[in-house]
């Protein structure tokens, strides 16, 4: 069986095509990634911009054509933080379906943490861990013991989001990052992270 997974994140949209065997093992045979920066298209009011939405849908059209030409019948398409936070997410997901035929599911914070952890667990097989997944829009933290999740947390501390915050503070200074702004951003991140009692 062939299976395609599409991950629409804050910074990029990714396509991975798999050959899944009858015994449950699988192998990736095609990987694609396009930096659409849909999260950068989030306006101050919390709406995805038309330009970011259009660029993302164009990339998804390309992915759809790859999937169709490869005769893949099974597609899992998920969207994470940028789409989850957008006030116009319902219309955006509807536009994607109308223009590509691909049905997207928006992952909750909990689901995003869980699937990130599952991917790491598959690669590492570490039973007890404190796992971090740093994306463009969010940071997922998962604590596991005996291959079971004890606690999880999703924070809006993604790399692209934090860079955007820093850029906004330095808008009058070009791209020069002033040390005091970096220190304030560092303080904000440290205050947002959970303490040892939580994890």
């Amino acid at each position: 069986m062939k299976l395609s997974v599409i991950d629409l994140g804050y910074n990029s949209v990714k396509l991975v095509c798999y050959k899944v065997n009858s015994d449950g093992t699988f192998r990736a045979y095609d990987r694609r990634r396009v930096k659409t920066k849909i999260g950068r298209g989030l306006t101050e009011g919390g709406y995805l911009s038309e330009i970011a939405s259009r660029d993302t849908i164009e990339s998804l059209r390309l992915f759809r054509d790859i999937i169709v030409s490869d005769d893949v019948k099974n597609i899992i398409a998920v969207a994470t933080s940028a789409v989850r936070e957008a006030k116009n997410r319902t219309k955006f997901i509807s536009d994607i379906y109308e223009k590509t035929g691909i049905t997207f599911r928006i992952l909750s914070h909990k689901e995003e943490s869980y699937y990130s952890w599952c991917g790491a667990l598959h690669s590492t097989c570490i039973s007890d861990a404190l796992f971090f997944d740093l994306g463009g829009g969010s940071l997922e933290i998962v604590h596991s013991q005996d291959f079971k999740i004890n606690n999880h947390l999703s924070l809006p501390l993604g790399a692209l989001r934090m860079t955007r915050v820093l850029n906004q503070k330095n808008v009058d200074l070009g791209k020069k990052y002033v040390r005091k702004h970096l220190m304030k951003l560092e303080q904000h991140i440290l205050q947002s992270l959970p303490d040892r009692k939580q994890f």
Side-chain angles (χ1 to χ4, degrees):
M1 177 183 82
K2 289 180 178 177
L3 169 71
S4 290
V5 177
I6 302 173
D7 175 9
L8 176 51
Y10 195 92
N11 192 39
S12 62
V13 57
K14 300 171 200 148
L15 167 69
V16 184
C17 299
Y18 295 94
K19 175 76 170 62
V20 183
N21 303 312
S22 56
D23 63 357
T25 59
F26 55 89
R27 177 184 59 84
Y29 66 87
D30 193 4
R31 296 173 189 267
R32 314 279 174 130
R33 178 182 176 188
V34 180
K35 282 192 176 182
T36 57
K37 297 182 181 176
I38 189 83
R40 189 168 284 177
L42 272 172
T43 65
E44 290 298 319
Y47 291 87
L48 295 169
S49 72
E50 285 185 30
I51 295 171
S53 299
R54 185 193 64 220
D55 291 348
T56 301
I57 290 173
E58 283 304 309
S59 297
L60 290 171
R61 278 180 170 163
L62 170 65
F63 287 178
R64 177 207 53 203
D65 293 345
I66 291 167
I67 290 167
V68 169
S69 69
D70 201 27
D71 197 30
V72 178
K73 304 294 186 206
N74 304 288
I75 303 169
I76 297 173
V78 295
T80 55
S81 62
V83 179
R84 183 170 59 231
E85 294 167 19
K87 291 181 180 176
N88 57 338
R89 62 185 168 272
T90 304
K91 181 182 184 313
F92 179 57
I93 294 297
S94 176
D95 288 346
I96 290 175
Y97 179 75
E98 183 183 318
K99 291 169 183 172
T100 68
I102 300 171
T103 302
F104 267 83
R105 184 165 150 238
I106 301 172
L107 296 182
S108 67
H109 293 289
K110 185 175 182 178
E111 289 170 324
E112 187 175 358
S113 298
Y114 174 73
Y115 291 127
S116 297
W117 173 76
C118 285
L121 183 63
H122 177 77
S123 300
T124 63
C125 293
I126 298 172
S127 61
D128 301 348
L130 185 59
F131 165 73
F132 297 82
D133 178 18
L134 180 62
S138 62
L139 168 67
E140 274 64 53
I141 306 174
V142 179
H143 177 230
S144 66
Q145 284 183 304
D146 297 324
F147 297 107
K148 293 178 182 175
I149 293 177
N150 267 359
N151 203 354
H152 67 88
L153 185 64
S154 180
L155 299 167
L157 298 175
L160 189 64
R161 186 191 301 266
M162 293 296 96
T163 302
R164 188 177 175 194
V165 168
L166 196 59
N167 281 338
Q168 286 172 344
K169 290 183 182 299
N170 292 310
V171 72
D172 297 328
L173 304 167
K175 294 286 181 179
K176 182 180 176 184
Y177 297 136
V178 177
R179 183 159 182 77
K180 73 172 187 177
H181 289 159
L182 280 170
M183 289 174 69
K184 281 184 181 177
L185 187 61
E186 181 180 336
Q187 188 178 24
H188 166 71
I189 292 169
L190 289 172
Q191 287 173 346
S192 301
L193 291 173
D195 60 24
R196 288 177 181 270
K197 289 180 182 177
Q198 288 178 273
F199 282 83

